[in-house]
Each structure stands twice: as C-alpha cells, then as structure tokens.
Amino acid sequence: MGTLFLYYEAMKKDPFQSVRKISSFLGININDSEIHEICKKTSFSEMKIGAENEISDLSPTVCALTSNKRLIFRKGTVGDWKDYFTNKQNQLFEETYRAKMDASSLAKHIHYEN
C-alpha cells in the first residue's frame, strides 16, 4: 500500500470528494449516502456537539482539554491559535517549526502561513 496525501484546503473545500478518495485508497466500497453521513458526522459543528455531550474517559483525546477534563473546541478556523500565543510563544513555535521542517522533503510541499 502506498501513501495518500490529503491537503486541508482540498478537504475543507470538498469533504465529499476527500472521503471518496480515502475510501478508494483503503479499498472500501461505500455509497454516496454513507459518504454524506461521514461528512456530516466529521464536520466541526457535529464533533463539537459530540464532545460537549461526551461523558466517557477523555484521556486519549487529541483535542484541547480544560482543567476539569472537558473537551474544548474553539472556532474551527485556521490561524485561531495565534490569538492564544504570546509573541514569545509564537517566536518559539516559528523557530521550532522551521528547524523540524527544514530537514523534511515532504514539508517542502507544505505552505505554512504565519
């Protein structure tokens, strides 16, 4: 099996086509109705609602947690993280990002907007 690269902008622009690409890459045959359901359930608004209703163990999550272990989803917009970083934190992030990504041949295809 090879590697499938999906770019955020393409996924955001056409989630239906992105799900179709993923299912095809994995060799899973799903119909249009199932793809629409996947797109609905994986939308930011649906995941935010689901997280707010979540009552099970949240320790394995990759989303931000509050001090009382409740999931938080902010706006779901690109670049919103900058509103939460100080200038010093942003500078440290930029330096770390460049140091890690400069050595990556894959990263040369990623255009990061700071």
Side-chain angles (χ1 to χ4, degrees):
M1 183 180 278
T3 303
L4 174 66
F5 292 100
L6 296 172
Y7 294 93
Y8 177 76
E9 286 301 319
M11 292 173 58
K12 184 177 171 185
K13 183 178 178 181
D14 192 352
F16 184 90
Q17 202 61 320
S18 295
V19 172
R20 182 177 298 288
K21 282 182 185 178
I22 294 167
S23 65
S24 176
F25 178 77
L26 295 174
I28 300 170
N29 187 19
I30 57 177
N31 62 43
D32 288 357
S33 177
E34 292 169 313
I35 293 174
H36 283 294
E37 187 67 18
I38 291 168
C39 290
K40 178 184 175 196
K41 288 185 176 182
T42 58
S43 70
F44 180 82
S45 58
E46 286 289 318
M47 290 191 299
K48 183 175 181 177
I49 290 168
E52 289 169 353
N53 295 330
E54 183 65 51
I55 58 172
S56 65
D57 179 21
L58 301 174
S59 58
T61 186
V62 295
C63 299
L65 293 170
T66 62
S67 59
N68 65 357
K69 299 286 186 191
R70 296 280 302 162
L71 280 172
I72 57 169
F73 282 74
R74 293 190 315 258
K75 298 176 188 174
T77 58
V78 175
D80 185 52
W81 61 270
K82 294 176 190 177
D83 295 337
Y84 298 87
F85 273 34
T86 65
N87 287 338
K88 186 175 181 177
Q89 288 170 323
N90 190 45
Q91 181 181 353
L92 178 60
F93 175 83
E94 295 293 335
E95 291 169 1
T96 304
Y97 180 86
R98 274 194 296 280
K100 300 277 185 188
M101 294 300 145
D102 281 349
S104 168
S105 60
L106 174 61
K108 292 178 183 9
H109 301 284
I110 298 172
H111 302 286
Y112 167 70
E113 296 176 16
N114 57 0

